[in-house]
Amino acid sequence: MGFFTDTSVCIGCKACEVACKEWNLVPEDGLDFTAMSFDNSGGLGADTWRHVAFIEQRAPIGVQETGVGRPEGAPDPVDLGMPSFEPPGASADGDATGEFRWLMSSDVCKHCTHAACLDVCPTGSLFRTEYGTVVVQEDICNGCGYCVPACPYGVIGQREDDGRVFKCTLCYDRLGAGMEPACAKACPTDSIQFGDLDELRERADERLRGLHEAGVGSAQLYGRDPGDGVGGDGAFFLLLDEPEVYGLPPDPVVTTRDLPSMWRHAAVAAGALLAGITATFLGRRR
Ligand code: SF4
Ligand code: SF4
């Protein structure tokens, strides 16, 4: 099971952030002015399990008015007067809105197929659930923090008081009760969709095809490919620009990928050292 987040229909209402905090009793972590548009949570962390990013771009607004999904015969979309970099009417062609668009995206733990956080956890606090998701058990976490640098997406954070880590559980308790995760339930536009991963991938492919046919060539899926560096994400996205624009790594790899070969090399080096010491010792005795 997993999430498909279609950022092309996100309206930035933050209902997902609020629903996540309410259901999971995630403490308030400061409602600061981040100077990043309407983003006031800044990024994912121990007390922000869903983060809605607002990215301001100097780009034609037209791509937001493609009419994708509008029923035939529906009236043209109304210009709601998006903010402008110029005073109204100042541009040469009399365009009062200028070229400006927001990209909005609700980020979350990716519930990687190959999750490095799981590999490095010494206590078994992080575990793979029967739904294929990755969950951290707060009563077993010892606060060592090994998983924090291991995550290729910078998702996990430690709480300041005792150092224990927290992150999205994909509402493990709700799944057990046959309910969908709180964020998906609260999202008014179905930007966050929850379900069987194969079904979600099919739905995402179809949506991508629709957007490309409508001329939104920059639309792309992120984390959908089971052949990528983390074996595909259990929470994947449809983006309207490059991943870097959203603060996502373009080619994530499981950070523990090289551990087996490193251990092999270390074992060979240790064996060679031991053989050298033994030979020296035996040579002296003769
Ligand atoms: S995104 Fe990070 S925290 Fe989430 S499963 Fe992958 S490695 Fe673990
Ligand atoms: S609830 Fe849905 S539309 Fe609102 S911010 Fe979250 S993802 Fe976007």
Side-chain angles (χ1 to χ4, degrees), residues 187-225:
C187 179
T189 64
D190 269 350
S191 173
I192 301 172
Q193 299 175 32
F194 165 75
D196 174 74
L197 266 179
D198 288 334
E199 267 174 44
L200 291 177
R201 286 182 184 130
E202 273 176 34
R203 211 181 293 168
D205 291 344
E206 200 177 313
R207 172 72 178 150
L208 184 69
R209 252 192 316 276
L211 284 169
H212 284 170
E213 279 167 19
V216 190
S218 60
Q220 55 188 282
L221 296 177
Y222 180 81
R224 180 234 178 273
D225 180 9

PDB file of all heavy atoms in Angstrom, residues 187-225:
ATOM      1  N   CYS A 187      -7.610  15.501   2.222  1.00  0.00           N
ATOM      2  CA  CYS A 187      -7.263  16.270   1.014  1.00  0.00           C
ATOM      3  C   CYS A 187      -8.519  16.520   0.157  1.00  0.00           C
ATOM      4  O   CYS A 187      -9.137  15.574  -0.326  1.00  0.00           O
ATOM      5  CB  CYS A 187      -6.209  15.519   0.199  1.00  0.00           C
ATOM      6  SG  CYS A 187      -5.763  16.387  -1.319  1.00  0.00           S
ATOM      7  N   PRO A 188      -8.882  17.795  -0.039  1.00  0.00           N
ATOM      8  CA  PRO A 188     -10.146  18.076  -0.741  1.00  0.00           C
ATOM      9  C   PRO A 188     -10.065  17.880  -2.252  1.00  0.00           C
ATOM     10  O   PRO A 188     -11.097  17.827  -2.915  1.00  0.00           O
ATOM     11  CB  PRO A 188     -10.410  19.550  -0.402  1.00  0.00           C
ATOM     12  CG  PRO A 188      -9.059  20.131  -0.175  1.00  0.00           C
ATOM     13  CD  PRO A 188      -8.225  19.036   0.409  1.00  0.00           C
ATOM     14  N   THR A 189      -8.863  17.805  -2.799  1.00  0.00           N
ATOM     15  CA  THR A 189      -8.738  17.697  -4.261  1.00  0.00           C
ATOM     16  C   THR A 189      -8.255  16.318  -4.706  1.00  0.00           C
ATOM     17  O   THR A 189      -7.999  16.107  -5.895  1.00  0.00           O
ATOM     18  CB  THR A 189      -7.731  18.742  -4.791  1.00  0.00           C
ATOM     19  OG1 THR A 189      -6.444  18.431  -4.242  1.00  0.00           O
ATOM     20  CG2 THR A 189      -8.135  20.158  -4.422  1.00  0.00           C
ATOM     21  N   ASP A 190      -8.087  15.416  -3.760  1.00  0.00           N
ATOM     22  CA  ASP A 190      -7.527  14.089  -4.057  1.00  0.00           C
ATOM     23  C   ASP A 190      -6.116  14.192  -4.624  1.00  0.00           C
ATOM     24  O   ASP A 190      -5.686  13.345  -5.405  1.00  0.00           O
ATOM     25  CB  ASP A 190      -8.415  13.308  -5.041  1.00  0.00           C
ATOM     26  CG  ASP A 190      -9.431  12.459  -4.299  1.00  0.00           C
ATOM     27  OD1 ASP A 190      -9.298  12.349  -3.065  1.00  0.00           O
ATOM     28  OD2 ASP A 190     -10.353  11.927  -4.945  1.00  0.00           O
ATOM     29  N   SER A 191      -5.411  15.243  -4.226  1.00  0.00           N
ATOM     30  CA  SER A 191      -3.994  15.328  -4.598  1.00  0.00           C
ATOM     31  C   SER A 191      -3.251  14.166  -3.951  1.00  0.00           C
ATOM     32  O   SER A 191      -2.331  13.598  -4.537  1.00  0.00           O
ATOM     33  CB  SER A 191      -3.410  16.668  -4.134  1.00  0.00           C
ATOM     34  OG  SER A 191      -2.021  16.706  -4.335  1.00  0.00           O
ATOM     35  N   ILE A 192      -3.660  13.810  -2.721  1.00  0.00           N
ATOM     36  CA  ILE A 192      -3.063  12.656  -2.039  1.00  0.00           C
ATOM     37  C   ILE A 192      -4.007  11.474  -2.197  1.00  0.00           C
ATOM     38  O   ILE A 192      -5.147  11.522  -1.734  1.00  0.00           O
ATOM     39  CB  ILE A 192      -2.840  12.944  -0.544  1.00  0.00           C
ATOM     40  CG1 ILE A 192      -1.921  14.146  -0.368  1.00  0.00           C
ATOM     41  CG2 ILE A 192      -2.257  11.725   0.159  1.00  0.00           C
ATOM     42  CD1 ILE A 192      -1.807  14.622   1.076  1.00  0.00           C
ATOM     43  N   GLN A 193      -3.527  10.454  -2.887  1.00  0.00           N
ATOM     44  CA  GLN A 193      -4.350   9.254  -3.076  1.00  0.00           C
ATOM     45  C   GLN A 193      -3.671   8.074  -2.399  1.00  0.00           C
ATOM     46  O   GLN A 193      -2.459   7.916  -2.498  1.00  0.00           O
ATOM     47  CB  GLN A 193      -4.525   8.991  -4.577  1.00  0.00           C
ATOM     48  CG  GLN A 193      -5.227  10.144  -5.283  1.00  0.00           C
ATOM     49  CD  GLN A 193      -5.282   9.945  -6.782  1.00  0.00           C
ATOM     50  OE1 GLN A 193      -5.366   8.833  -7.276  1.00  0.00           O
ATOM     51  NE2 GLN A 193      -5.237  11.044  -7.522  1.00  0.00           N
ATOM     52  N   PHE A 194      -4.464   7.266  -1.732  1.00  0.00           N
ATOM     53  CA  PHE A 194      -3.941   6.115  -0.997  1.00  0.00           C
ATOM     54  C   PHE A 194      -4.504   4.845  -1.614  1.00  0.00           C
ATOM     55  O   PHE A 194      -5.659   4.829  -2.063  1.00  0.00           O
ATOM     56  CB  PHE A 194      -4.359   6.206   0.473  1.00  0.00           C
ATOM     57  CG  PHE A 194      -4.189   4.915   1.213  1.00  0.00           C
ATOM     58  CD1 PHE A 194      -2.929   4.474   1.604  1.00  0.00           C
ATOM     59  CD2 PHE A 194      -5.284   4.113   1.506  1.00  0.00           C
ATOM     60  CE1 PHE A 194      -2.766   3.271   2.259  1.00  0.00           C
ATOM     61  CE2 PHE A 194      -5.137   2.903   2.173  1.00  0.00           C
ATOM     62  CZ  PHE A 194      -3.873   2.478   2.551  1.00  0.00           C
ATOM     63  N   GLY A 195      -3.692   3.802  -1.671  1.00  0.00           N
ATOM     64  CA  GLY A 195      -4.230   2.544  -2.168  1.00  0.00           C
ATOM     65  C   GLY A 195      -3.143   1.540  -2.509  1.00  0.00           C
ATOM     66  O   GLY A 195      -1.970   1.703  -2.122  1.00  0.00           O
ATOM     67  N   ASP A 196      -3.543   0.526  -3.252  1.00  0.00           N
ATOM     68  CA  ASP A 196      -2.623  -0.505  -3.710  1.00  0.00           C
ATOM     69  C   ASP A 196      -1.625   0.136  -4.690  1.00  0.00           C
ATOM     70  O   ASP A 196      -2.035   0.863  -5.612  1.00  0.00           O
ATOM     71  CB  ASP A 196      -3.437  -1.598  -4.408  1.00  0.00           C
ATOM     72  CG  ASP A 196      -2.546  -2.638  -5.043  1.00  0.00           C
ATOM     73  OD1 ASP A 196      -1.985  -3.448  -4.304  1.00  0.00           O
ATOM     74  OD2 ASP A 196      -2.407  -2.600  -6.286  1.00  0.00           O
ATOM     75  N   LEU A 197      -0.330  -0.153  -4.485  1.00  0.00           N
ATOM     76  CA  LEU A 197       0.691   0.558  -5.268  1.00  0.00           C
ATOM     77  C   LEU A 197       0.568   0.317  -6.771  1.00  0.00           C
ATOM     78  O   LEU A 197       0.742   1.249  -7.567  1.00  0.00           O
ATOM     79  CB  LEU A 197       2.085   0.129  -4.795  1.00  0.00           C
ATOM     80  CG  LEU A 197       2.728   1.038  -3.734  1.00  0.00           C
ATOM     81  CD1 LEU A 197       4.076   0.501  -3.322  1.00  0.00           C
ATOM     82  CD2 LEU A 197       2.840   2.471  -4.221  1.00  0.00           C
ATOM     83  N   ASP A 198       0.260  -0.916  -7.178  1.00  0.00           N
ATOM     84  CA  ASP A 198       0.141  -1.193  -8.615  1.00  0.00           C
ATOM     85  C   ASP A 198      -0.991  -0.377  -9.226  1.00  0.00           C
ATOM     86  O   ASP A 198      -0.864   0.184 -10.302  1.00  0.00           O
ATOM     87  CB  ASP A 198      -0.081  -2.689  -8.872  1.00  0.00           C
ATOM     88  CG  ASP A 198       1.189  -3.478  -8.613  1.00  0.00           C
ATOM     89  OD1 ASP A 198       2.279  -2.884  -8.739  1.00  0.00           O
ATOM     90  OD2 ASP A 198       1.094  -4.677  -8.278  1.00  0.00           O
ATOM     91  N   GLU A 199      -2.110  -0.316  -8.501  1.00  0.00           N
ATOM     92  CA  GLU A 199      -3.251   0.480  -8.995  1.00  0.00           C
ATOM     93  C   GLU A 199      -2.888   1.956  -9.074  1.00  0.00           C
ATOM     94  O   GLU A 199      -3.223   2.655 -10.031  1.00  0.00           O
ATOM     95  CB  GLU A 199      -4.435   0.332  -8.050  1.00  0.00           C
ATOM     96  CG  GLU A 199      -5.406  -0.760  -8.430  1.00  0.00           C
ATOM     97  CD  GLU A 199      -6.465  -0.935  -7.357  1.00  0.00           C
ATOM     98  OE1 GLU A 199      -6.985   0.065  -6.851  1.00  0.00           O
ATOM     99  OE2 GLU A 199      -6.726  -2.112  -7.020  1.00  0.00           O
ATOM    100  N   LEU A 200      -2.196   2.438  -8.044  1.00  0.00           N
ATOM    101  CA  LEU A 200      -1.805   3.856  -8.033  1.00  0.00           C
ATOM    102  C   LEU A 200      -0.864   4.169  -9.184  1.00  0.00           C
ATOM    103  O   LEU A 200      -0.949   5.229  -9.806  1.00  0.00           O
ATOM    104  CB  LEU A 200      -1.129   4.212  -6.698  1.00  0.00           C
ATOM    105  CG  LEU A 200      -2.019   4.225  -5.458  1.00  0.00           C
ATOM    106  CD1 LEU A 200      -1.198   4.515  -4.214  1.00  0.00           C
ATOM    107  CD2 LEU A 200      -3.125   5.271  -5.594  1.00  0.00           C
ATOM    108  N   ARG A 201       0.038   3.216  -9.488  1.00  0.00           N
ATOM    109  CA  ARG A 201       0.977   3.446 -10.602  1.00  0.00           C
ATOM    110  C   ARG A 201       0.226   3.544 -11.921  1.00  0.00           C
ATOM    111  O   ARG A 201       0.526   4.400 -12.751  1.00  0.00           O
ATOM    112  CB  ARG A 201       2.019   2.324 -10.647  1.00  0.00           C
ATOM    113  CG  ARG A 201       3.046   2.434  -9.533  1.00  0.00           C
ATOM    114  CD  ARG A 201       4.097   1.341  -9.616  1.00  0.00           C
ATOM    115  NE  ARG A 201       5.007   1.413  -8.491  1.00  0.00           N
ATOM    116  CZ  ARG A 201       5.345   0.394  -7.714  1.00  0.00           C
ATOM    117  NH1 ARG A 201       4.859  -0.810  -7.946  1.00  0.00           N
ATOM    118  NH2 ARG A 201       6.173   0.559  -6.703  1.00  0.00           N
ATOM    119  N   GLU A 202      -0.754   2.669 -12.100  1.00  0.00           N
ATOM    120  CA  GLU A 202      -1.566   2.730 -13.337  1.00  0.00           C
ATOM    121  C   GLU A 202      -2.281   4.073 -13.439  1.00  0.00           C
ATOM    122  O   GLU A 202      -2.302   4.712 -14.480  1.00  0.00           O
ATOM    123  CB  GLU A 202      -2.612   1.614 -13.329  1.00  0.00           C
ATOM    124  CG  GLU A 202      -2.099   0.312 -13.896  1.00  0.00           C
ATOM    125  CD  GLU A 202      -3.143  -0.791 -13.775  1.00  0.00           C
ATOM    126  OE1 GLU A 202      -4.343  -0.501 -13.886  1.00  0.00           O
ATOM    127  OE2 GLU A 202      -2.740  -1.946 -13.542  1.00  0.00           O
ATOM    128  N   ARG A 203      -2.857   4.503 -12.307  1.00  0.00           N
ATOM    129  CA  ARG A 203      -3.588   5.774 -12.286  1.00  0.00           C
ATOM    130  C   ARG A 203      -2.639   6.934 -12.602  1.00  0.00           C
ATOM    131  O   ARG A 203      -2.973   7.858 -13.341  1.00  0.00           O
ATOM    132  CB  ARG A 203      -4.180   5.961 -10.882  1.00  0.00           C
ATOM    133  CG  ARG A 203      -5.473   6.736 -10.878  1.00  0.00           C
ATOM    134  CD  ARG A 203      -5.983   6.899  -9.468  1.00  0.00           C
ATOM    135  NE  ARG A 203      -6.397   5.670  -8.820  1.00  0.00           N
ATOM    136  CZ  ARG A 203      -6.661   5.570  -7.530  1.00  0.00           C
ATOM    137  NH1 ARG A 203      -6.536   6.612  -6.748  1.00  0.00           N
ATOM    138  NH2 ARG A 203      -7.047   4.426  -7.014  1.00  0.00           N
ATOM    139  N   ALA A 204      -1.438   6.858 -12.048  1.00  0.00           N
ATOM    140  CA  ALA A 204      -0.451   7.926 -12.262  1.00  0.00           C
ATOM    141  C   ALA A 204      -0.025   7.975 -13.731  1.00  0.00           C
ATOM    142  O   ALA A 204       0.110   9.051 -14.320  1.00  0.00           O
ATOM    143  CB  ALA A 204       0.755   7.703 -11.359  1.00  0.00           C
ATOM    144  N   ASP A 205       0.175   6.794 -14.327  1.00  0.00           N
ATOM    145  CA  ASP A 205       0.575   6.743 -15.745  1.00  0.00           C
ATOM    146  C   ASP A 205      -0.488   7.397 -16.619  1.00  0.00           C
ATOM    147  O   ASP A 205      -0.188   8.146 -17.548  1.00  0.00           O
ATOM    148  CB  ASP A 205       0.786   5.290 -16.193  1.00  0.00           C
ATOM    149  CG  ASP A 205       2.016   4.672 -15.537  1.00  0.00           C
ATOM    150  OD1 ASP A 205       2.836   5.434 -15.005  1.00  0.00           O
ATOM    151  OD2 ASP A 205       2.135   3.434 -15.552  1.00  0.00           O
ATOM    152  N   GLU A 206      -1.738   7.089 -16.294  1.00  0.00           N
ATOM    153  CA  GLU A 206      -2.851   7.643 -17.088  1.00  0.00           C
ATOM    154  C   GLU A 206      -2.914   9.163 -16.940  1.00  0.00           C
ATOM    155  O   GLU A 206      -3.087   9.896 -17.903  1.00  0.00           O
ATOM    156  CB  GLU A 206      -4.152   7.022 -16.580  1.00  0.00           C
ATOM    157  CG  GLU A 206      -5.282   7.102 -17.576  1.00  0.00           C
ATOM    158  CD  GLU A 206      -6.511   6.399 -17.032  1.00  0.00           C
ATOM    159  OE1 GLU A 206      -6.375   5.264 -16.524  1.00  0.00           O
ATOM    160  OE2 GLU A 206      -7.577   7.005 -17.093  1.00  0.00           O
ATOM    161  N   ARG A 207      -2.746   9.627 -15.725  1.00  0.00           N
ATOM    162  CA  ARG A 207      -2.782  11.079 -15.463  1.00  0.00           C
ATOM    163  C   ARG A 207      -1.622  11.771 -16.209  1.00  0.00           C
ATOM    164  O   ARG A 207      -1.807  12.832 -16.790  1.00  0.00           O
ATOM    165  CB  ARG A 207      -2.673  11.303 -13.951  1.00  0.00           C
ATOM    166  CG  ARG A 207      -2.514  12.737 -13.533  1.00  0.00           C
ATOM    167  CD  ARG A 207      -3.775  13.538 -13.718  1.00  0.00           C
ATOM    168  NE  ARG A 207      -3.602  14.911 -13.263  1.00  0.00           N
ATOM    169  CZ  ARG A 207      -4.242  15.936 -13.772  1.00  0.00           C
ATOM    170  NH1 ARG A 207      -5.116  15.780 -14.732  1.00  0.00           N
ATOM    171  NH2 ARG A 207      -4.030  17.144 -13.303  1.00  0.00           N
ATOM    172  N   LEU A 208      -0.458  11.129 -16.176  1.00  0.00           N
ATOM    173  CA  LEU A 208       0.704  11.721 -16.861  1.00  0.00           C
ATOM    174  C   LEU A 208       0.445  11.811 -18.362  1.00  0.00           C
ATOM    175  O   LEU A 208       0.736  12.840 -18.995  1.00  0.00           O
ATOM    176  CB  LEU A 208       1.956  10.875 -16.586  1.00  0.00           C
ATOM    177  CG  LEU A 208       3.248  11.444 -17.153  1.00  0.00           C
ATOM    178  CD1 LEU A 208       3.649  12.715 -16.403  1.00  0.00           C
ATOM    179  CD2 LEU A 208       4.389  10.429 -17.053  1.00  0.00           C
ATOM    180  N   ARG A 209      -0.118  10.735 -18.901  1.00  0.00           N
ATOM    181  CA  ARG A 209      -0.442  10.741 -20.341  1.00  0.00           C
ATOM    182  C   ARG A 209      -1.384  11.901 -20.665  1.00  0.00           C
ATOM    183  O   ARG A 209      -1.179  12.641 -21.626  1.00  0.00           O
ATOM    184  CB  ARG A 209      -1.123   9.424 -20.740  1.00  0.00           C
ATOM    185  CG  ARG A 209      -0.228   8.523 -21.579  1.00  0.00           C
ATOM    186  CD  ARG A 209      -0.974   7.367 -22.214  1.00  0.00           C
ATOM    187  NE  ARG A 209      -1.911   6.680 -21.355  1.00  0.00           N
ATOM    188  CZ  ARG A 209      -1.584   5.713 -20.505  1.00  0.00           C
ATOM    189  NH1 ARG A 209      -0.336   5.328 -20.394  1.00  0.00           N
ATOM    190  NH2 ARG A 209      -2.502   5.122 -19.770  1.00  0.00           N
ATOM    191  N   GLY A 210      -2.402  12.086 -19.835  1.00  0.00           N
ATOM    192  CA  GLY A 210      -3.379  13.156 -20.047  1.00  0.00           C
ATOM    193  C   GLY A 210      -2.718  14.529 -20.038  1.00  0.00           C
ATOM    194  O   GLY A 210      -3.010  15.375 -20.877  1.00  0.00           O
ATOM    195  N   LEU A 211      -1.819  14.722 -19.082  1.00  0.00           N
ATOM    196  CA  LEU A 211      -1.147  16.021 -18.985  1.00  0.00           C
ATOM    197  C   LEU A 211      -0.244  16.264 -20.194  1.00  0.00           C
ATOM    198  O   LEU A 211      -0.204  17.358 -20.747  1.00  0.00           O
ATOM    199  CB  LEU A 211      -0.327  16.097 -17.695  1.00  0.00           C
ATOM    200  CG  LEU A 211      -1.138  16.325 -16.407  1.00  0.00           C
ATOM    201  CD1 LEU A 211      -0.278  16.124 -15.171  1.00  0.00           C
ATOM    202  CD2 LEU A 211      -1.721  17.733 -16.390  1.00  0.00           C
ATOM    203  N   HIS A 212       0.475  15.215 -20.622  1.00  0.00           N
ATOM    204  CA  HIS A 212       1.350  15.369 -21.803  1.00  0.00           C
ATOM    205  C   HIS A 212       0.521  15.683 -23.041  1.00  0.00           C
ATOM    206  O   HIS A 212       0.880  16.561 -23.828  1.00  0.00           O
ATOM    207  CB  HIS A 212       2.194  14.110 -22.012  1.00  0.00           C
ATOM    208  CG  HIS A 212       3.334  14.016 -21.038  1.00  0.00           C
ATOM    209  ND1 HIS A 212       4.118  12.896 -20.888  1.00  0.00           N
ATOM    210  CD2 HIS A 212       3.823  14.919 -20.150  1.00  0.00           C
ATOM    211  CE1 HIS A 212       5.034  13.108 -19.969  1.00  0.00           C
ATOM    212  NE2 HIS A 212       4.877  14.320 -19.500  1.00  0.00           N
ATOM    213  N   GLU A 213      -0.605  14.982 -23.195  1.00  0.00           N
ATOM    214  CA  GLU A 213      -1.469  15.243 -24.361  1.00  0.00           C
ATOM    215  C   GLU A 213      -2.012  16.670 -24.329  1.00  0.00           C
ATOM    216  O   GLU A 213      -2.249  17.281 -25.359  1.00  0.00           O
ATOM    217  CB  GLU A 213      -2.633  14.246 -24.386  1.00  0.00           C
ATOM    218  CG  GLU A 213      -2.217  12.905 -24.974  1.00  0.00           C
ATOM    219  CD  GLU A 213      -3.255  11.810 -24.706  1.00  0.00           C
ATOM    220  OE1 GLU A 213      -4.412  12.152 -24.402  1.00  0.00           O
ATOM    221  OE2 GLU A 213      -2.869  10.639 -24.779  1.00  0.00           O
ATOM    222  N   ALA A 214      -2.194  17.194 -23.121  1.00  0.00           N
ATOM    223  CA  ALA A 214      -2.716  18.557 -22.986  1.00  0.00           C
ATOM    224  C   ALA A 214      -1.617  19.606 -23.102  1.00  0.00           C
ATOM    225  O   ALA A 214      -1.866  20.790 -22.928  1.00  0.00           O
ATOM    226  CB  ALA A 214      -3.422  18.695 -21.644  1.00  0.00           C
ATOM    227  N   GLY A 215      -0.381  19.155 -23.340  1.00  0.00           N
ATOM    228  CA  GLY A 215       0.705  20.107 -23.581  1.00  0.00           C
ATOM    229  C   GLY A 215       1.547  20.441 -22.367  1.00  0.00           C
ATOM    230  O   GLY A 215       2.396  21.318 -22.418  1.00  0.00           O
ATOM    231  N   VAL A 216       1.308  19.750 -21.246  1.00  0.00           N
ATOM    232  CA  VAL A 216       2.132  20.006 -20.055  1.00  0.00           C
ATOM    233  C   VAL A 216       3.327  19.051 -20.096  1.00  0.00           C
ATOM    234  O   VAL A 216       3.387  18.056 -19.381  1.00  0.00           O
ATOM    235  CB  VAL A 216       1.308  19.816 -18.755  1.00  0.00           C
ATOM    236  CG1 VAL A 216       2.090  20.311 -17.545  1.00  0.00           C
ATOM    237  CG2 VAL A 216      -0.011  20.562 -18.853  1.00  0.00           C
ATOM    238  N   GLY A 217       4.284  19.401 -20.957  1.00  0.00           N
ATOM    239  CA  GLY A 217       5.411  18.495 -21.221  1.00  0.00           C
ATOM    240  C   GLY A 217       6.332  18.309 -20.038  1.00  0.00           C
ATOM    241  O   GLY A 217       7.069  17.323 -19.970  1.00  0.00           O
ATOM    242  N   SER A 218       6.328  19.252 -19.093  1.00  0.00           N
ATOM    243  CA  SER A 218       7.267  19.147 -17.961  1.00  0.00           C
ATOM    244  C   SER A 218       6.759  18.182 -16.891  1.00  0.00           C
ATOM    245  O   SER A 218       7.494  17.850 -15.959  1.00  0.00           O
ATOM    246  CB  SER A 218       7.476  20.532 -17.336  1.00  0.00           C
ATOM    247  OG  SER A 218       6.221  21.026 -16.878  1.00  0.00           O
ATOM    248  N   ALA A 219       5.505  17.732 -16.998  1.00  0.00           N
ATOM    249  CA  ALA A 219       4.973  16.815 -15.978  1.00  0.00           C
ATOM    250  C   ALA A 219       5.772  15.511 -15.981  1.00  0.00           C
ATOM    251  O   ALA A 219       6.145  14.994 -17.032  1.00  0.00           O
ATOM    252  CB  ALA A 219       3.498  16.527 -16.259  1.00  0.00           C
ATOM    253  N   GLN A 220       6.066  15.014 -14.806  1.00  0.00           N
ATOM    254  CA  GLN A 220       6.852  13.780 -14.694  1.00  0.00           C
ATOM    255  C   GLN A 220       6.527  13.069 -13.389  1.00  0.00           C
ATOM    256  O   GLN A 220       6.078  13.698 -12.425  1.00  0.00           O
ATOM    257  CB  GLN A 220       8.350  14.093 -14.738  1.00  0.00           C
ATOM    258  CG  GLN A 220       8.816  15.089 -13.704  1.00  0.00           C
ATOM    259  CD  GLN A 220      10.265  15.512 -13.915  1.00  0.00           C
ATOM    260  OE1 GLN A 220      11.176  14.777 -13.581  1.00  0.00           O
ATOM    261  NE2 GLN A 220      10.470  16.688 -14.470  1.00  0.00           N
ATOM    262  N   LEU A 221       6.758  11.757 -13.391  1.00  0.00           N
ATOM    263  CA  LEU A 221       6.530  10.987 -12.168  1.00  0.00           C
ATOM    264  C   LEU A 221       7.848  10.851 -11.424  1.00  0.00           C
ATOM    265  O   LEU A 221       8.903  10.687 -12.041  1.00  0.00           O
ATOM    266  CB  LEU A 221       5.948   9.610 -12.503  1.00  0.00           C
ATOM    267  CG  LEU A 221       4.559   9.635 -13.149  1.00  0.00           C
ATOM    268  CD1 LEU A 221       4.109   8.233 -13.499  1.00  0.00           C
ATOM    269  CD2 LEU A 221       3.541  10.293 -12.207  1.00  0.00           C
ATOM    270  N   TYR A 222       7.784  10.895 -10.103  1.00  0.00           N
ATOM    271  CA  TYR A 222       8.979  10.815  -9.266  1.00  0.00           C
ATOM    272  C   TYR A 222       8.795   9.700  -8.244  1.00  0.00           C
ATOM    273  O   TYR A 222       7.812   9.708  -7.496  1.00  0.00           O
ATOM    274  CB  TYR A 222       9.195  12.156  -8.548  1.00  0.00           C
ATOM    275  CG  TYR A 222      10.403  12.176  -7.646  1.00  0.00           C
ATOM    276  CD1 TYR A 222      11.674  12.390  -8.164  1.00  0.00           C
ATOM    277  CD2 TYR A 222      10.277  11.979  -6.274  1.00  0.00           C
ATOM    278  CE1 TYR A 222      12.785  12.411  -7.344  1.00  0.00           C
ATOM    279  CE2 TYR A 222      11.388  11.989  -5.440  1.00  0.00           C
ATOM    280  CZ  TYR A 222      12.637  12.215  -5.989  1.00  0.00           C
ATOM    281  OH  TYR A 222      13.746  12.233  -5.174  1.00  0.00           O
ATOM    282  N   GLY A 223       9.719   8.732  -8.250  1.00  0.00           N
ATOM    283  CA  GLY A 223       9.645   7.638  -7.286  1.00  0.00           C
ATOM    284  C   GLY A 223       8.739   6.505  -7.726  1.00  0.00           C
ATOM    285  O   GLY A 223       8.499   5.573  -6.969  1.00  0.00           O
ATOM    286  N   ARG A 224       8.245   6.585  -8.959  1.00  0.00           N
ATOM    287  CA  ARG A 224       7.308   5.565  -9.434  1.00  0.00           C
ATOM    288  C   ARG A 224       8.025   4.305  -9.915  1.00  0.00           C
ATOM    289  O   ARG A 224       7.457   3.218  -9.893  1.00  0.00           O
ATOM    290  CB  ARG A 224       6.488   6.154 -10.588  1.00  0.00           C
ATOM    291  CG  ARG A 224       5.456   5.199 -11.181  1.00  0.00           C
ATOM    292  CD  ARG A 224       5.645   5.064 -12.680  1.00  0.00           C
ATOM    293  NE  ARG A 224       4.722   4.146 -13.267  1.00  0.00           N
ATOM    294  CZ  ARG A 224       4.936   2.817 -13.352  1.00  0.00           C
ATOM    295  NH1 ARG A 224       6.021   2.279 -12.835  1.00  0.00           N
ATOM    296  NH2 ARG A 224       4.050   2.040 -13.932  1.00  0.00           N
ATOM    297  N   ASP A 225       9.287   4.453 -10.336  1.00  0.00           N
ATOM    298  CA  ASP A 225       9.991   3.374 -11.028  1.00  0.00           C
ATOM    299  C   ASP A 225      10.598   2.365 -10.034  1.00  0.00           C
ATOM    300  O   ASP A 225      11.525   2.704  -9.294  1.00  0.00           O
ATOM    301  CB  ASP A 225      11.093   3.998 -11.897  1.00  0.00           C
ATOM    302  CG  ASP A 225      11.881   2.948 -12.649  1.00  0.00           C
ATOM    303  OD1 ASP A 225      11.464   1.773 -12.629  1.00  0.00           O
ATOM    304  OD2 ASP A 225      12.923   3.307 -13.235  1.00  0.00           O
TER     305      ASP A 225
END
